[in-house]
Amino acid sequence: MSKISKETAQTRSGSLTGSERANNLVSMELADLESIRRQNENVSCCTTWESSLEAIQEYVRIAKRHPHIWISTLLSIVLLCGITLPLIVYIASNQNGKEEELASDLAIETGRWFSDQLDRVILPLFSLAQFVGEIPEFYGLADRIGPVGEEGSRPLLPDPDPFSLRNVSGICDDPTVLERFNRVAQTLKENAKMEGVMVSLQLVPYQVVCYSYPLNNTEDFEEGVFLDNTEAIGLDLISDPNRIAFSRGVVQSEDVYIAGPLTLRQCAEGGECYPAVEKAFIASLPVRSNNHTLPLDGMGYNLWGSVESIINWQALIDRSDIFSRFQEQGKGFQLTRDDVVTNVETGEETISEVLLAKTDDYEADRFDHSVSITLDTVDDLWEITIVYKSAAASWFGWAIAAAVVVSLGVSLLIFAILVQKQKFLQMKTRYLEDVSQPQKLRMRMFVDDQAKIRDLTPAMEKQLLNHKPIADFYPSTTVFFADIVGFSSFASEREPRHVFKLLQTAFFHFDKIARKRNVFKVDTLGDKYMAVTGLPDAQPDHAERMVRFAQECQMAFFRLTRELEKELGPATGGLEIRMGISSGPVTAGVLFGATSKFHLFGPTVKRASELNKTSAVNRIQFCQKTADLLVSAGRKKWIEPRRDTLGGPHIQGYYLTRRTKANDADKQETDSSYCSNLSIGSVDNGLWDEDDEEALVVGDAEGSDKENRLIEWQAQSLLRLLVPILAFRDGKKGSTDEDITTFYQRETVVLDEVQAIISLPAFDKAKAKRARTKQSSLTIPDVVEEQLKSLIKEIAALYHSNPFHNFEHACHVVMAAHKLLERVSTPENVNYETKNLSKVANDLHAYTFGITSDPLTHFAVVFSALIHDIDHRGVSNGQLAIENPELAERYRNQSVAEQNSVDLGWDLLMQPKYKELQQCIFCNRVEFLRFRHLVVNCVLATDIFDPELKALRNMRWESAFHEDDSSQTVSSNSSSSGIGNSTKLDSTNRKATIVIEHIIQASDVAHTMQHWAIYQKWNEKLFEEMYQGWKQGRVAKNPALGWYKGELWFFNNYIIPLARKLDECGVFGVASDEGLFHAMENRRQWEVDGERIVQEMIERCTGMVDVKMGAIQEEGE
């Protein structure tokens, strides 16, 4: 309690009792505490405000030193407002458009209803007009009344007021005629089912009202209200000045003429009149007759007269329930009609707009939009206008304000983030400047913050170079290197995305294993992976940890490559890996630059790299130091000494041992032949925990399941090509009702079907857009997938076990075709960033001559590659003609093998059991024939030695790419007549056709345009095939005698010109450069080493061929 409070309490306590004094003291104490609490709150608020103010001032100071923060903040405001405000305007406009569309639909729907109702009222007039022509009593009324003013016609009554009446006594009151008319009119009125709406039907011969049903109408009105037409009998509509305009409209009309609205009044005997029908329309249909002439305005019209119907408009409105419908939807409407009004005195006719119906709130201020629709009536003079309030108007202003506020808020947040980042960058250098920190701690800070350090600005990197580098010496580490054997060859065969798919998948799983095993990944370079244990933190088990990591990575690699083979193609599952491990000291540090990287130096690193390079494939090799560490850790059984030494007699290498299920220790050699036979299985070498069930064992990865893997890959690749075909058809297959066999009947040999120009479909932007949307959600039916796999198995079975022309070669050609088609789809000079998807697609279509726009073309090219060597006998067409003269005669001794492959492959595809697959590929005759022509042209193009076909293809190439479009001509082939001046479309299709043929040609010899190792592999296979044919007496000349010079000739005269053509046509981008580069390099390498290689091939092939021929002789015996 404060001093003053205590004195006051003591002064007052003298006159109070003890309890009162105690209560007063408590109350005073509480008051003082409350006063202190309020003072503390004020101080706290002041402190918070001061802290916030200081923080803001600090932000401003930092921003002043770094202008890019202010610039970025202002740009963000402009950018956000520039995006959000137009977006809001677009959304509001779009919403208004949808509301307008809904209002238009409502108006059209309402108009259709009224038009339909009017049609139902008008329809009986046509029936009544027909009765006039068929019933003599009706037809004769006009003759009995006659035109007004003519001799023998019924005269006008003397008193015209209020109507001009004719004397029709004895005619229009004839009981017989009246009875028949009433019977006819009653039937028509009942059949129309428009009770209360159609209140009268009338016969009007010579425009004189003669008969009306019902004459006195009470049935269509409420009790007490009726419509008596008695006084209208005899009314001459032409003579009456108030009705002459109506008669003029009827007489001149070719169809039903409608007048109104008008009020029909009913007068009582006392003279009092009331409206029986507030709004009525009179519909009149002129009845044509060549036997009658109706005079009007000095002209004669061949008319009997007309038939009329009186329509109670208000009853029709009530039937529509239109007011409640619009009220429910929050809209108003107005229905109007243009009517002809005649001035009785002057006879002048004017058109005025007459209101037929309107909601009470039609002119309300809340409606800000309107839509008007002309109704489809007999005279198109009716118009309905819908008014409505835009929903966007209620939120548009608020949305604009919110967008501005949010833009400012986000910009302030960006400002704060940029300031905080700058503060963070300033703080980040503290551990770099403080050199007193231990090196291991600084290393740990770098490892933990490695990704963030790479974000340093150039100014920050310059600052870092002025400080002591991050580096330290680590005496106990284990370094690991791994690379993929044959990676360069693998990469040259495949699309770039498939190469990176392999690296990304493998290294991603290596990284995952590294995190699991606490191994530090250092770097990757190409297909090489580097890791280390024992830093930045010491790990006593660094050697054992790294060996476990290495074998787990090895097992993951084999598993992943086999899984990826379905996507990446043949030989992916056969990829091999080498690993080298070395233990010892290293110097580790960080090299700062454009990208800061962690580096290792020292003999241990160099030794690990050498162990990696010299390791047998699919083996883990390590040095003496690593072996000693494993022995000291009780892992002696993991070690298997290498039988030879590295770099000298005193350098010993070791492999990680395996004890296989088969326990076949004799096969555990260190050479690549042993290691290339690894597959997935289980192992018992003490390396894995009990829960680890997968490891590596000896097996035959290239054995009997190789063909199955190739078939599976072929099926998956073709299935992926079927998806866009279905997407372009909106996911629909071909019709099951149409017999596909009727699309095509073979009448000539395959060669006669070669087309000079194959017409590809024109680009359809809407269809392409729909296809892109549907493609991701489409799935191929299981039955189609099964049929496709079955078809590929049958195709594979028709390939012979030739060294070169076999199913594996077909798969290699398919893979090359995929790669070239992929490059066609992604040209380099199309701007993918600044154009919309439709524009990009259109550019691609024009750039690639339409090849990219037709997924059926892609499928046809790949299918052609798959079947192009079916039933190849391993000999040339000339030798085949000698061995099989019947086949040669069937195909006229030209392209015999190629035509035979087409027929066999086509017959397999067209089997009835593949009906669902066929319907996925082509759904109509046009697609069927285009697919057939593409297959024929592609397969026949692989016959590169037929001089006639070669000359024809060269001529077509020159015509397509070296002549003006206006003068392009293509010489006729064996199946095509001469083609004159080509249109632009013909020019594009001609280019597309010849480019497609060159795709399959380049794919067929793709090994010559790929990595040297790939070329050597397939070149030796081809040499073996021809050498085997020579030994068997099927080839006249020993291929070894001219093989070296023959390959040089083949490169000079076919391969390199073909590669140049791929570049010349301009649709393959860098893929043509890649092919030309490899072709030139392979030719250069062959020129240097070819003679030696031929001798080595002779030595290898001689033994292999002798063994095969011996086996064949034994089988024959």
Side-chain angles (χ1 to χ4, degrees):
M1 187 186 294
S2 66
K3 182 178 179 182
I4 297 176
S5 300
K6 288 182 178 179
E7 292 176 351
T8 304
Q10 291 172 357
T11 303
R12 294 177 179 176
S13 63
S15 59
L16 299 174
T17 63
S19 60
E20 290 174 339
R21 286 198 299 270
N23 290 335
N24 285 339
L25 289 172
V26 171
S27 299
M28 293 168 65
E29 185 74 23
L30 292 174
D32 289 340
L33 290 173
E34 179 65 21
S35 176
I36 293 172
R37 186 185 65 79
R38 283 197 297 269
Q39 291 176 7
N40 290 337
E41 286 181 351
N42 291 335
V43 171
S44 177
C45 291
C46 292
T47 302
T48 303
W49 170 251
E50 291 174 357
S51 300
S52 301
L53 184 60
E54 290 177 358
I56 294 173
Q57 291 173 347
E58 182 184 8
Y59 272 45
V60 173
R61 285 195 300 270
I62 294 175
K64 284 182 178 179
R65 293 196 298 269
H66 302 280
H68 73 277
I69 296 178
W70 291 107
I71 294 173
S72 300
T73 304
L74 292 176
L75 286 177
S76 65
I77 294 176
V78 174
L79 181 63
L80 289 170
C81 289
I83 293 175
T84 55
L85 296 182
L87 181 61
I88 291 172
V89 172
Y90 170 77
I91 293 174
S93 176
N94 190 45
Q95 187 172 1
N96 287 337
K98 291 181 179 180
E99 291 175 346
E100 182 177 353
E101 184 177 351
L102 291 174
S104 298
D105 292 342
L106 178 61
I108 292 172
E109 179 186 354
T110 305
R112 285 174 179 170
W113 188 90
F114 277 112
S115 297
D116 178 68
Q117 296 299 304
L118 287 173
D119 289 343
R120 292 178 61 183
V121 176
I122 292 170
L123 188 59
L125 295 180
F126 291 90
S127 300
L128 188 57
Q130 185 176 358
F131 280 120
V132 169
E134 295 176 354
I135 299 176
E137 293 90 338
F138 295 170
Y139 191 75
L141 291 175
D143 296 328
R144 297 172 67 185
I145 295 176
V148 63
E150 289 189 6
E151 184 179 356
S153 298
R154 287 302 180 101
L156 289 169
L157 295 177
D159 186 7
D161 216 14
F163 309 118
S164 297
L165 298 176
R166 299 272 292 274
N167 183 4
V168 292
S169 177
I171 300 175
C172 295
D173 53 0
D174 187 330
T176 304
V177 178
L178 178 62
E179 180 183 0
R180 188 159 192 180
F181 170 72
N182 287 344
R183 191 164 60 250
V184 170
Q186 180 182 5
T187 302
L188 293 176
K189 189 171 180 296
E190 290 176 353
N191 290 340
K193 297 181 180 179
M194 297 295 290
E195 295 81 2
V197 177
M198 187 170 67
V199 296
S200 178
L201 282 172
Q202 297 178 348
L203 289 179
V204 190
Y206 277 128
Q207 294 307 97
V208 176
V209 179
C210 190
Y211 287 98
S212 178
Y213 176 85
L215 189 61
N216 187 3
N217 189 348
T218 59
E219 61 190 49
D220 291 317
F221 299 94
E222 297 178 358
E223 186 176 355
V225 179
F226 61 93
L227 178 64
D228 189 356
N229 290 317
T230 303
E231 295 183 0
I233 301 301
L235 176 63
D236 192 326
L237 301 179
I238 293 179
S239 302
D240 193 291
N242 292 319
R243 294 166 176 80
I244 182 63
F246 171 74
S247 293
R248 190 175 288 116
V250 173
V251 171
Q252 296 174 355
S253 175
E254 297 294 331
D255 205 339
V256 176
Y257 182 80
I258 300 178
L262 49 88
T263 301
L264 299 181
R265 299 182 179 276
Q266 188 65 56
C267 299
E269 294 182 359
E272 182 179 357
C273 298
Y274 65 89
V277 180
E278 291 280 0
K279 289 182 179 180
F281 285 97
I282 299 177
S284 179
L285 175 66
V287 180
R288 305 294 171 184
S289 174
N290 294 328
N291 299 324
H292 301 86
T293 301
L294 189 150
L296 179 64
D297 297 333
M299 297 181 61
Y301 296 90
N302 292 330
L303 287 177
W304 174 88
S306 63
V307 290
E308 295 179 354
S309 173
I310 299 178
I311 303 169
N312 187 342
W313 175 251
Q314 189 59 48
L316 186 62
I317 290 290
D318 295 339
R319 285 169 65 102
S320 70
D321 195 24
I322 188 171
F323 291 100
S324 60
R325 291 176 59 197
F326 277 86
Q327 185 177 6
E328 291 173 0
Q329 299 191 29
K331 296 178 176 63
F333 85 97
Q334 173 180 277
L335 185 63
T336 60
R337 178 183 182 274
D338 292 339
D339 197 13
V340 179
V341 179
T342 304
N343 189 315
V344 179
E345 297 179 355
T346 63
E348 182 181 358
E349 296 181 355
T350 58
I351 298 177
S352 63
E353 185 178 82
V354 180
L355 177 65
L356 303 181
K358 182 175 72 172
T359 56
D360 295 337
D361 56 354
Y362 175 78
E363 298 177 353
D365 295 335
R366 64 188 181 92
F367 296 129
D368 51 12
H369 286 72
S370 64
V371 175
S372 296
I373 299 294
T374 300
L375 301 190
D376 185 19
T377 56
V378 292
D379 49 10
D380 292 330
L381 299 176
W382 301 57
E383 183 177 78
I384 185 169
T385 301
I386 308 292
V387 292
Y388 60 94
K389 180 176 178 59
S390 171
S394 61
W395 56 262
F396 183 75
W398 289 103
I400 294 292
V404 173
V405 172
V406 170
S407 299
L408 291 174
V410 172
S411 300
L412 290 176
L413 180 61
I414 293 174
F415 174 83
I417 292 173
L418 292 175
V419 172
Q420 285 288 358
K421 182 178 181 181
Q422 197 61 44
K423 290 174 65 178
F424 173 74
L425 292 176
Q426 293 174 358
M427 294 174 61
K428 186 186 288 187
T429 59
R430 293 179 184 175
Y431 73 90
L432 299 171
E433 295 173 352
D434 188 2
V435 296
S436 62
Q437 292 284 354
Q439 287 293 319
K440 287 183 174 56
L441 176 59
R442 297 174 69 208
M443 185 68 68
R444 166 53 58 196
M445 295 171 68
F446 172 80
V447 171
D448 293 341
D449 206 24
Q450 186 179 15
K452 296 178 182 178
I453 289 179
R454 290 179 178 174
D455 294 335
L456 293 177
T457 64
M460 193 62 191
E461 291 176 355
K462 183 177 180 181
Q463 181 183 0
L464 292 173
L465 291 176
N466 297 325
H467 297 281
K468 183 178 180 179
I470 302 175
D472 202 0
F473 180 78
Y474 294 86
S476 301
T477 66
T478 297
V479 180
F480 165 86
F481 279 97
D483 69 343
I484 301 172
V485 180
F487 175 76
S488 297
S489 302
F490 175 87
S492 72
E493 292 181 291
R494 285 161 176 80
E495 307 164 34
R497 63 187 181 91
H498 284 168
V499 177
F500 275 83
K501 175 72 172 181
L502 171 69
L503 293 177
Q504 178 177 302
T505 304
F507 290 166
F508 172 81
H509 284 82
F510 287 7
D511 293 345
K512 189 175 180 181
I513 298 169
R515 289 191 297 271
K516 168 187 170 184
R517 296 286 182 185
N518 198 16
V519 172
F520 177 56
K521 172 190 175 181
V522 179
D523 202 1
T524 60
L525 180 62
D527 63 316
K528 189 177 288 293
Y529 189 95
M530 182 182 182
V532 64
T533 53
L535 66 81
D537 300 322
Q539 294 170 315
D541 61 342
H542 58 88
E544 180 183 348
R545 183 184 300 272
M546 184 60 79
V547 171
R548 289 181 180 275
F549 166 77
Q551 190 167 25
E552 193 168 351
C553 287
Q554 189 182 52
M555 186 184 70
F557 181 79
F558 290 128
R559 185 184 70 251
L560 293 170
T561 52
R562 280 156 178 76
E563 292 174 356
L564 288 172
E565 191 165 44
K566 292 181 181 180
E567 179 179 356
L568 305 187
T572 305
L575 285 172
E576 300 165 320
I577 192 168
R578 294 180 303 198
M579 297 182 175
I581 297 174
S582 178
S583 300
V586 298
T587 299
V590 181
L591 289 181
F592 289 102
T595 57
S596 303
K597 287 190 175 182
F598 191 88
H599 281 266
L600 302 178
F601 303 95
T604 304
V605 179
K606 184 177 181 180
R607 187 164 54 247
S609 178
E610 289 296 325
L611 288 165
N612 168 237
K613 293 177 182 177
T614 59
S615 174
V617 294
N618 300 330
R619 296 303 299 268
I620 301 171
Q621 183 175 214
F622 44 87
C623 66
Q624 182 70 55
K625 178 65 173 176
T626 305
D628 294 342
L629 291 172
L630 293 176
V631 171
S632 63
R635 303 299 184 185
K636 184 177 180 179
K637 61 180 179 179
W638 291 8
I639 303 170
E640 174 193 340
R642 180 167 175 156
R643 295 185 179 183
D644 56 350
T645 56
L646 305 174
H650 304 295
I651 303 177
Q652 177 65 54
Y654 296 87
Y655 285 120
L656 183 65
T657 60
R658 295 187 185 87
R659 187 161 67 247
T660 66
K661 276 184 173 182
N663 218 10
D664 189 0
D666 293 337
K667 290 187 179 180
Q668 295 190 10
E669 303 294 338
T670 60
D671 57 33
S672 60
S673 62
Y674 155 68
C675 300
S676 64
N677 291 328
L678 293 172
S679 62
I680 300 298
S682 61
V683 69
D684 180 19
N685 57 7
L687 186 59
W688 300 101
D689 300 330
E690 293 181 357
D691 293 336
D692 297 322
E693 296 179 355
E694 288 186 333
L696 303 171
V697 300
V698 175
D700 185 11
E702 299 297 328
S704 59
D705 66 334
K706 179 178 180 179
E707 184 172 294
N708 291 332
R709 297 205 310 271
L710 292 177
I711 291 172
E712 181 66 26
W713 171 74
Q714 290 280 14
Q716 294 303 318
S717 64
L718 287 174
L719 281 173
R720 284 192 291 270
L721 294 179
L722 278 178
V723 171
I725 293 177
L726 291 180
F728 264 74
R729 300 194 203 116
D730 295 328
K732 299 175 182 177
K733 296 191 299 181
S735 173
T736 57
D737 299 330
E738 194 169 4
D739 185 5
I740 293 178
T741 59
T742 63
F743 290 166
Y744 164 79
Q745 297 295 330
R746 185 181 306 169
E747 298 177 355
T748 61
V749 296
V750 175
L751 189 62
D752 291 341
E753 298 182 50
V754 174
Q755 302 293 310
I757 299 177
I758 299 177
S759 297
L760 300 186
F763 179 68
D764 188 329
K765 181 174 69 174
K767 182 180 290 187
K769 183 177 181 180
R770 290 197 305 270
R772 283 196 305 271
T773 304
K774 290 180 176 292
Q775 195 163 330
S776 59
S777 60
L778 272 180
T779 56
I780 302 297
D782 292 340
V783 63
V784 174
E785 183 174 356
E786 292 301 320
Q787 289 179 8
L788 184 58
K789 290 181 180 179
S790 175
L791 173 64
I792 296 173
K793 287 181 181 178
E794 290 194 70
I795 291 173
L798 290 181
Y799 275 90
H800 300 290
S801 57
N802 303 313
F804 183 88
H805 293 97
N806 51 33
F807 185 62
E808 185 180 0
H809 165 67
C811 293
H812 186 259
V813 176
V814 166
M815 187 162 54
H818 271 300
K819 183 175 182 178
L820 284 174
L821 287 169
E822 182 72 16
R823 299 308 298 172
V824 169
S825 301
T826 54
E828 302 296 326
N829 65 342
V830 173
N831 190 338
Y832 296 92
E833 296 181 357
T834 60
K835 298 179 180 179
N836 58 50
L837 290 177
S838 298
K839 178 60 177 171
V840 169
N842 193 39
D843 287 351
L844 287 174
H845 176 87
Y847 180 89
T848 62
F849 316 127
I851 298 174
T852 58
S853 306
D854 183 27
L856 184 62
T857 298
H858 287 217
F859 188 91
V861 172
V862 174
F863 181 77
S864 302
L866 178 61
I867 69 169
H868 82 284
D869 273 337
I870 282 182
D871 196 35
H872 198 289
R873 314 294 172 83
V875 292
S876 65
N877 274 324
Q879 180 63 27
L880 181 60
I882 296 173
E883 295 179 1
N884 196 334
E886 293 182 0
L887 192 67
E889 183 180 358
R890 182 193 310 168
Y891 296 120
R892 290 184 273 181
N893 277 312
Q894 193 173 10
S895 301
V896 178
E898 290 75 17
Q899 294 191 73
N900 183 47
S901 296
V902 172
D903 279 342
L904 291 176
W906 191 262
D907 289 342
L908 288 178
L909 173 63
M910 297 308 296
Q911 294 178 89
K913 63 181 180 179
Y914 297 136
K915 181 178 181 181
E916 287 75 15
L917 173 61
Q918 296 162 9
Q919 291 167 353
C920 280
I921 300 173
F922 32 75
C923 69
N924 52 50
R925 179 179 175 83
V926 173
E927 290 186 354
F928 178 93
L929 291 178
R930 183 164 79 253
F931 180 75
R932 169 73 182 183
H933 292 157
L934 286 167
V935 171
V936 169
N937 273 41
C938 286
V939 177
L940 268 293
T942 61
D943 184 2
I944 62 176
F945 294 110
D946 185 288
E948 182 180 343
L949 290 178
K950 182 180 179 181
L952 177 62
R953 278 193 293 269
N954 289 337
M955 186 184 303
R956 290 165 61 203
W957 179 274
E958 294 296 321
S959 177
F961 291 100
H962 292 166
E963 296 182 12
D964 295 335
D965 287 347
S966 60
S967 62
Q968 285 182 351
T969 60
V970 177
S971 299
S972 61
N973 57 19
S974 56
S975 65
S976 304
S977 59
I979 300 175
N981 291 336
S982 303
T983 63
K984 184 176 180 181
L985 181 60
D986 286 339
S987 173
T988 300
N989 286 327
R990 178 183 292 107
K991 291 177 179 179
T993 303
I994 196 69
V995 167
I996 290 169
E997 292 176 1
H998 280 69
I999 288 176
I1000 198 71
Q1001 285 182 325
S1003 302
D1004 194 25
V1005 293
H1007 64 282
T1008 62
M1009 303 183 211
Q1010 293 171 349
H1011 190 269
W1012 171 251
I1014 301 297
Y1015 167 67
Q1016 280 189 290
K1017 169 188 172 182
W1018 289 103
N1019 183 44
E1020 183 166 345
K1021 285 176 176 289
L1022 182 58
F1023 178 83
E1024 180 188 348
E1025 181 172 295
M1026 297 186 70
Y1027 189 81
Q1028 177 179 305
W1030 173 68
K1031 295 286 283 186
Q1032 294 173 349
R1034 304 175 68 203
V1035 176
K1037 183 180 178 181
N1038 183 356
L1041 299 178
W1043 197 265
Y1044 170 72
K1045 292 184 178 179
E1047 284 295 289
L1048 290 177
W1049 182 92
F1050 193 53
F1051 272 112
N1052 292 337
N1053 293 276
Y1054 183 73
I1055 299 301
I1056 293 176
L1058 177 60
R1060 295 190 191 279
K1061 283 184 177 181
L1062 296 181
D1063 183 61
E1064 182 182 347
C1065 69
V1067 300
F1068 294 101
V1070 297
S1072 57
D1073 299 330
E1074 179 188 5
L1076 182 59
F1077 168 78
H1078 282 301
M1080 299 289 285
E1081 282 296 302
N1082 290 338
R1083 189 217 175 276
R1084 182 190 63 78
Q1085 191 73 20
W1086 179 260
E1087 187 174 18
V1088 174
D1089 299 329
E1091 291 179 318
R1092 175 184 57 80
I1093 294 173
V1094 169
Q1095 293 303 317
E1096 294 174 354
M1097 290 194 303
I1098 292 173
E1099 293 174 4
R1100 286 192 294 269
C1101 290
T1102 300
M1104 288 188 292
V1105 170
D1106 290 343
V1107 171
K1108 289 183 179 178
M1109 292 186 67
I1112 293 174
Q1113 290 177 358
E1114 290 180 3
E1115 289 180 3
E1117 293 175 358

